[in-house]
Amino acid sequence: MTRLTIDRRALVLAGLAIAVAPLAPALAQKRKELVLAFIPQENPEKLQGDIKVISAWLAKEIGVPVRGFVGSDHAAAVEALRNNDADISFMGALPYVIANTETGAEAVLAEVYRGSPTYTGRIFVRRDGAIESLADLKGKAIAFADPISESGYLYPLDIFVENGLLKRGEDPKRFFGKVYFAGGYQQAMQAMQAGLVDAAGVSQYADLLLTPDQQPQVKWIAESKPIPSHVVIARKGLDPALKAKFVAAMLKLNEPQNVALLKHVYSPDGYVEADPKSFDGVRELAKAYGLMK
């Protein structure tokens, strides 16, 4: 787990707005495969196995080779789309609205998880610790998942703003003693459960990434407002026919004979076509924090 200062966070965000020369259009057209970028919200080693399974299935359904990879973080996934190094990416609502603004990427599918198209961010702490309220975290250490994550940073941080403990745009270290970005939900939860930090600001479902023995050892003390579920996005300029085949194949995962494959794409209940308007609230909050213009 690495510490990321506010200056470093600014550099990461700024990197999303820097135009990097994409692959030559002719080269992009010659690539006869579909490339998928995944984010490491859980164990990257597990993801590697999942990617092999879902890529092989998609290749049969679509009729072209499908290759996937795990990016280092959300920002890397956005850059892969910008540079034509990836055609499709699975990511959260915040990196999507940034990718949409900066690169023209399009949301094509949205997750349904536990029967809902929305979820929340939560603040988790150890059950046997002394932390009982948000105010108890003053001067303490907190781990978030990723600086470009709605449920792994933006919305959990905003919980402290809504409770009058921070102001939007204020350096979080004016309240917390230390702020870390762990690289994913699972990593942040494990750091908190192990006592390396006092709290974790992550998705409401992040405790499910702990072992069955660890789960009873943690609890949540605050919850954010609803967040649109994770999305599947396509880069600008992706061949419309190939994009349509991909969407049709992914929607087949909702069918009874295919639902077992959903565990290889972050385990949602299924997918629906994305509604761009559902991300307006995320876009406005990102602007309020200076993450977007």
Side-chain angles (χ1 to χ4, degrees), residues 165-181:
L165 300 172
L166 277 169
K167 295 180 180 179
R168 286 182 178 173
E170 185 178 27
D171 185 340
K173 289 185 291 184
R174 291 181 64 88
F175 177 75
F176 301 107
K178 294 182 180 179
V179 176
Y180 295 92
F181 291 104

Side-chain angles (χ1 to χ4, degrees), residues 121-194:
R122 286 178 176 173
I123 306 300
F124 285 91
V125 298
R126 293 186 303 282
R127 193 174 294 275
D128 62 357
I131 306 299
E132 297 292 339
S133 69
L134 295 177
D136 292 338
L137 286 169
K138 183 173 178 60
K140 305 295 185 180
I142 188 168
F144 295 103
D146 187 303
I148 314 297
S149 172
E150 67 291 339
S151 62
Y153 181 55
L154 186 61
Y155 278 72
L157 182 64
D158 203 53
I159 294 172
F160 293 88
V161 173
E162 292 180 338
N163 283 272
L165 300 172
L166 277 169
K167 295 180 180 179
R168 286 182 178 173
E170 185 178 27
D171 185 340
K173 289 185 291 184
R174 291 181 64 88
F175 177 75
F176 301 107
K178 294 182 180 179
V179 176
Y180 295 92
F181 291 104
Y185 296 148
Q186 187 175 42
Q187 297 93 316
M189 287 295 290
Q190 288 176 332
M192 178 272 298
Q193 188 276 331

Side-chain angles (χ1 to χ4, degrees), residues 207-217:
D207 58 327
L208 301 179
L209 298 173
L210 295 174
T211 67
D213 289 339
Q214 292 172 332
Q215 289 174 20
Q217 300 173 20

